[in-house]
Amino acid sequence: MHNGSVLDRRGFFKAAGVVSVASVGVLAVTPSMAAAAVDISHKIKISGDLRSFTQRMAVASAFVMLDVERDHFLGVLTEEFKEFEADIEALRNGDPEYQMAVEENPLVLEAINTVEIGWSILGPAIKDVIDAGMVDEAHFNKIEHVNVQVMTLTDSLIHRIMNEYEADIPTELAYQIDVVGMQRTLSQKMIKEGVLVALEFEAEAHHEMMVGSMQVFQFGMDKLRGQMLHNEIMLPEPDAEFAGLLAEVDTIWAELQPQLEALDASHDLGSVDILELSHEADKMFELFGALYARLILQAEAV
């Protein structure tokens, strides 16, 4: 089974077949214009990864607690923990391999610092789980009560980057990258919420959150198909490959949605195959990673 964030950033762009800006044969586009679009698209994507990792780590912690593929999800936690810290570093100091510039905008730097403050609370709790190989009640409570707060901080970082650099990347492309990132986040968040409802862990609050997550997820699929406005802009209709990946997500969602509804109705983990649920979470996470790759290719050709 694919482990965590192996295709996140390191190896991600190479696996997607991304080529250098200099080799893209686009007329009437200066290298500086293309480089700026690539820089900002990567920053939006990596900030979106941070957002997704907050929920991915929470899901992995829940499955470790339930002893569902414990070794796999401990591996997920380890990968995402390392990637979270590496990605914050890349956002601040740049990454020449992926044409990311050192961050100099003071408002973006402030948003990065704020994410780090949240991570200073969530990160040690995750590291304790990795080191212990298990999740006790105290650590799970801490992870669950902090992960959504850190997710909110990463979301603010994404939108700060988009606002500060809106002139450097086509608006539609920036929005597509952001929506794909949010879908990736929701693919983990709503599974976490369904499990917590079934565990009677603040069940009513997580019921409300899960219902909202599922609705926003469906809206996001409509937006990516160019069937619903996003911030008063209609996103482009997907090309054949992008549409094919969305169709794969639909197939998984058709299996996943009734399982989440069963957890919500029954408050009983026995109402679904929890192992299969974990597999669906993995598959959907990877599909949105593939959609990211398609959009990064488009940034190269701006």
Short mmCIF file of all heavy atoms in Angstrom, two decimals, residues 219-250:
data_model
loop_
_atom_site.label_atom_id
_atom_site.label_comp_id
_atom_site.label_asym_id
_atom_site.label_seq_id
_atom_site.Cartn_x
_atom_site.Cartn_y
_atom_site.Cartn_z
N PHE A 219 -19.66 20.05 -3.26
CA PHE A 219 -19.55 21.34 -3.93
C PHE A 219 -18.20 21.45 -4.65
O PHE A 219 -18.11 21.95 -5.78
CB PHE A 219 -19.66 22.50 -2.94
CG PHE A 219 -21.04 22.71 -2.39
CD1 PHE A 219 -21.24 23.46 -1.22
CD2 PHE A 219 -22.16 22.18 -3.00
CE1 PHE A 219 -22.50 23.66 -0.70
CE2 PHE A 219 -23.45 22.37 -2.49
CZ PHE A 219 -23.60 23.11 -1.33
N GLY A 220 -17.14 20.98 -3.98
CA GLY A 220 -15.81 21.04 -4.58
C GLY A 220 -15.72 20.24 -5.87
O GLY A 220 -15.08 20.66 -6.83
N MET A 221 -16.35 19.06 -5.89
CA MET A 221 -16.35 18.25 -7.12
C MET A 221 -17.07 19.00 -8.24
O MET A 221 -16.62 19.00 -9.40
CB MET A 221 -17.02 16.91 -6.85
CG MET A 221 -16.28 16.02 -5.86
SD MET A 221 -14.59 15.61 -6.37
CE MET A 221 -14.94 14.52 -7.76
N ASP A 222 -18.18 19.66 -7.91
CA ASP A 222 -18.90 20.44 -8.91
C ASP A 222 -18.05 21.61 -9.41
O ASP A 222 -18.05 21.92 -10.61
CB ASP A 222 -20.20 20.97 -8.32
CG ASP A 222 -21.21 19.86 -8.00
OD1 ASP A 222 -21.06 18.76 -8.56
OD2 ASP A 222 -22.12 20.11 -7.19
N LYS A 223 -17.33 22.25 -8.52
CA LYS A 223 -16.47 23.36 -8.92
C LYS A 223 -15.38 22.90 -9.88
O LYS A 223 -15.08 23.57 -10.88
CB LYS A 223 -15.84 24.02 -7.69
CG LYS A 223 -16.83 24.77 -6.82
CD LYS A 223 -16.17 25.29 -5.55
CE LYS A 223 -17.15 26.02 -4.66
NZ LYS A 223 -16.53 26.54 -3.43
N LEU A 224 -14.76 21.76 -9.58
CA LEU A 224 -13.67 21.26 -10.41
C LEU A 224 -14.16 20.82 -11.79
O LEU A 224 -13.36 20.75 -12.73
CB LEU A 224 -12.95 20.11 -9.71
CG LEU A 224 -12.14 20.51 -8.47
CD1 LEU A 224 -11.62 19.28 -7.75
CD2 LEU A 224 -10.98 21.44 -8.84
N ARG A 225 -15.44 20.56 -11.91
CA ARG A 225 -16.01 20.22 -13.22
C ARG A 225 -16.50 21.46 -13.96
O ARG A 225 -17.06 21.34 -15.05
CB ARG A 225 -17.17 19.23 -13.05
CG ARG A 225 -16.72 17.84 -12.67
CD ARG A 225 -17.86 16.84 -12.84
NE ARG A 225 -17.37 15.49 -12.68
CZ ARG A 225 -17.29 14.85 -11.52
NH1 ARG A 225 -17.72 15.44 -10.43
NH2 ARG A 225 -16.81 13.62 -11.45
N GLY A 226 -16.33 22.63 -13.37
CA GLY A 226 -16.82 23.84 -14.01
C GLY A 226 -18.32 23.96 -13.98
O GLY A 226 -18.92 24.57 -14.86
N GLN A 227 -18.94 23.40 -12.93
CA GLN A 227 -20.41 23.41 -12.82
C GLN A 227 -20.92 24.26 -11.67
O GLN A 227 -22.12 24.34 -11.44
CB GLN A 227 -20.90 21.96 -12.63
CG GLN A 227 -20.57 21.06 -13.81
CD GLN A 227 -20.88 19.59 -13.53
OE1 GLN A 227 -21.16 19.22 -12.38
NE2 GLN A 227 -20.82 18.76 -14.56
N MET A 228 -19.99 24.91 -10.95
CA MET A 228 -20.39 25.71 -9.80
C MET A 228 -19.36 26.80 -9.58
O MET A 228 -18.15 26.57 -9.74
CB MET A 228 -20.50 24.82 -8.55
CG MET A 228 -20.99 25.52 -7.31
SD MET A 228 -21.18 24.33 -5.95
CE MET A 228 -21.82 25.41 -4.67
N LEU A 229 -19.80 28.00 -9.25
CA LEU A 229 -18.89 29.12 -9.04
C LEU A 229 -18.02 28.90 -7.81
O LEU A 229 -18.46 28.34 -6.80
CB LEU A 229 -19.68 30.41 -8.86
CG LEU A 229 -20.43 30.96 -10.08
CD1 LEU A 229 -21.28 32.15 -9.65
CD2 LEU A 229 -19.46 31.35 -11.18
N HIS A 230 -16.78 29.36 -7.91
CA HIS A 230 -15.89 29.41 -6.76
C HIS A 230 -15.41 30.85 -6.63
O HIS A 230 -14.73 31.38 -7.52
CB HIS A 230 -14.68 28.47 -6.94
CG HIS A 230 -13.72 28.52 -5.79
ND1 HIS A 230 -14.03 28.03 -4.55
CD2 HIS A 230 -12.46 29.03 -5.69
CE1 HIS A 230 -13.00 28.20 -3.74
NE2 HIS A 230 -12.04 28.81 -4.41
N ASN A 231 -15.79 31.52 -5.54
CA ASN A 231 -15.46 32.94 -5.37
C ASN A 231 -15.88 33.76 -6.59
O ASN A 231 -15.14 34.59 -7.10
CB ASN A 231 -13.96 33.13 -5.11
CG ASN A 231 -13.53 32.55 -3.77
OD1 ASN A 231 -14.37 32.21 -2.94
ND2 ASN A 231 -12.24 32.44 -3.57
N GLU A 232 -17.09 33.47 -7.06
CA GLU A 232 -17.72 34.18 -8.19
C GLU A 232 -17.02 33.94 -9.53
O GLU A 232 -17.25 34.68 -10.49
CB GLU A 232 -17.80 35.68 -7.90
CG GLU A 232 -18.61 36.00 -6.64
CD GLU A 232 -18.76 37.49 -6.39
OE1 GLU A 232 -18.14 38.28 -7.12
OE2 GLU A 232 -19.52 37.86 -5.47
N ILE A 233 -16.18 32.92 -9.61
CA ILE A 233 -15.52 32.56 -10.86
C ILE A 233 -15.83 31.11 -11.18
O ILE A 233 -15.77 30.24 -10.30
CB ILE A 233 -14.00 32.77 -10.77
CG1 ILE A 233 -13.68 34.27 -10.70
CG2 ILE A 233 -13.28 32.12 -11.94
CD1 ILE A 233 -12.22 34.58 -10.58
N MET A 234 -16.16 30.84 -12.43
CA MET A 234 -16.39 29.48 -12.87
C MET A 234 -15.04 28.89 -13.30
O MET A 234 -14.37 29.46 -14.17
CB MET A 234 -17.37 29.43 -14.04
CG MET A 234 -17.88 28.04 -14.35
SD MET A 234 -19.03 27.41 -13.08
CE MET A 234 -20.52 28.34 -13.51
N LEU A 235 -14.65 27.80 -12.70
CA LEU A 235 -13.39 27.17 -13.07
C LEU A 235 -13.52 26.50 -14.43
O LEU A 235 -14.61 26.14 -14.86
CB LEU A 235 -12.99 26.14 -12.01
CG LEU A 235 -12.81 26.69 -10.58
CD1 LEU A 235 -12.33 25.58 -9.64
CD2 LEU A 235 -11.83 27.85 -10.55
N PRO A 236 -12.38 26.34 -15.14
CA PRO A 236 -12.45 25.75 -16.48
C PRO A 236 -12.97 24.31 -16.47
O PRO A 236 -12.78 23.59 -15.49
CB PRO A 236 -10.98 25.76 -16.95
CG PRO A 236 -10.24 26.60 -15.99
CD PRO A 236 -11.02 26.66 -14.73
N GLU A 237 -13.61 23.93 -17.54
CA GLU A 237 -14.00 22.53 -17.68
C GLU A 237 -12.74 21.68 -17.76
O GLU A 237 -11.77 22.05 -18.41
CB GLU A 237 -14.85 22.33 -18.95
CG GLU A 237 -16.24 22.92 -18.85
CD GLU A 237 -17.11 22.52 -20.02
OE1 GLU A 237 -16.74 21.55 -20.72
OE2 GLU A 237 -18.15 23.17 -20.22
N PRO A 238 -12.73 20.54 -17.11
CA PRO A 238 -11.51 19.72 -17.09
C PRO A 238 -11.24 19.07 -18.44
O PRO A 238 -12.16 18.77 -19.19
CB PRO A 238 -11.83 18.66 -16.03
CG PRO A 238 -13.33 18.57 -16.01
CD PRO A 238 -13.82 19.96 -16.31
N ASP A 239 -9.94 18.87 -18.72
CA ASP A 239 -9.58 18.12 -19.92
C ASP A 239 -9.84 16.63 -19.66
O ASP A 239 -10.27 16.24 -18.56
CB ASP A 239 -8.14 18.39 -20.34
CG ASP A 239 -7.10 17.96 -19.29
OD1 ASP A 239 -7.43 17.12 -18.42
OD2 ASP A 239 -5.97 18.46 -19.35
N ALA A 240 -9.58 15.81 -20.65
CA ALA A 240 -9.96 14.40 -20.56
C ALA A 240 -9.26 13.69 -19.39
O ALA A 240 -9.88 12.91 -18.66
CB ALA A 240 -9.64 13.69 -21.87
N GLU A 241 -7.97 13.97 -19.21
CA GLU A 241 -7.23 13.28 -18.15
C GLU A 241 -7.71 13.74 -16.77
O GLU A 241 -7.89 12.92 -15.86
CB GLU A 241 -5.73 13.53 -18.30
CG GLU A 241 -4.90 12.75 -17.29
CD GLU A 241 -3.41 12.82 -17.55
OE1 GLU A 241 -3.01 13.32 -18.63
OE2 GLU A 241 -2.63 12.39 -16.68
N PHE A 242 -7.91 15.03 -16.63
CA PHE A 242 -8.39 15.57 -15.36
C PHE A 242 -9.78 15.01 -15.05
O PHE A 242 -10.07 14.60 -13.92
CB PHE A 242 -8.44 17.11 -15.46
CG PHE A 242 -8.45 17.82 -14.14
CD1 PHE A 242 -7.28 18.24 -13.53
CD2 PHE A 242 -9.65 18.10 -13.50
CE1 PHE A 242 -7.29 18.92 -12.32
CE2 PHE A 242 -9.68 18.77 -12.29
CZ PHE A 242 -8.48 19.19 -11.69
N ALA A 243 -10.65 14.98 -16.08
CA ALA A 243 -12.00 14.45 -15.89
C ALA A 243 -11.96 12.97 -15.52
O ALA A 243 -12.77 12.49 -14.71
CB ALA A 243 -12.81 14.65 -17.16
N GLY A 244 -11.00 12.24 -16.09
CA GLY A 244 -10.87 10.83 -15.76
C GLY A 244 -10.51 10.61 -14.30
O GLY A 244 -11.03 9.69 -13.64
N LEU A 245 -9.62 11.46 -13.78
CA LEU A 245 -9.25 11.37 -12.37
C LEU A 245 -10.43 11.73 -11.46
O LEU A 245 -10.66 11.09 -10.43
CB LEU A 245 -8.06 12.29 -12.08
CG LEU A 245 -6.73 11.84 -12.67
CD1 LEU A 245 -5.70 12.97 -12.60
CD2 LEU A 245 -6.20 10.60 -11.95
N LEU A 246 -11.21 12.74 -11.88
CA LEU A 246 -12.41 13.09 -11.11
C LEU A 246 -13.40 11.92 -11.10
O LEU A 246 -14.06 11.66 -10.09
CB LEU A 246 -13.07 14.34 -11.69
CG LEU A 246 -12.32 15.66 -11.51
CD1 LEU A 246 -13.05 16.78 -12.23
CD2 LEU A 246 -12.13 16.00 -10.04
N ALA A 247 -13.50 11.21 -12.23
CA ALA A 247 -14.40 10.06 -12.29
C ALA A 247 -13.95 8.96 -11.33
O ALA A 247 -14.78 8.28 -10.71
CB ALA A 247 -14.47 9.53 -13.72
N GLU A 248 -12.63 8.78 -11.19
CA GLU A 248 -12.11 7.81 -10.23
C GLU A 248 -12.47 8.21 -8.80
O GLU A 248 -12.80 7.36 -7.96
CB GLU A 248 -10.60 7.65 -10.38
CG GLU A 248 -10.16 6.98 -11.67
CD GLU A 248 -8.66 6.72 -11.67
OE1 GLU A 248 -8.17 6.06 -10.74
OE2 GLU A 248 -7.99 7.19 -12.61
N VAL A 249 -12.38 9.51 -8.52
CA VAL A 249 -12.79 9.99 -7.20
C VAL A 249 -14.26 9.70 -6.98
O VAL A 249 -14.66 9.24 -5.90
CB VAL A 249 -12.51 11.50 -7.06
CG1 VAL A 249 -13.11 12.02 -5.75
CG2 VAL A 249 -11.02 11.79 -7.11
N ASP A 250 -15.09 9.93 -8.02
CA ASP A 250 -16.53 9.67 -7.90
C ASP A 250 -16.80 8.21 -7.53
O ASP A 250 -17.70 7.92 -6.74
CB ASP A 250 -17.23 9.98 -9.23
CG ASP A 250 -17.43 11.47 -9.45
OD1 ASP A 250 -17.43 12.23 -8.46
OD2 ASP A 250 -17.57 11.87 -10.62
#
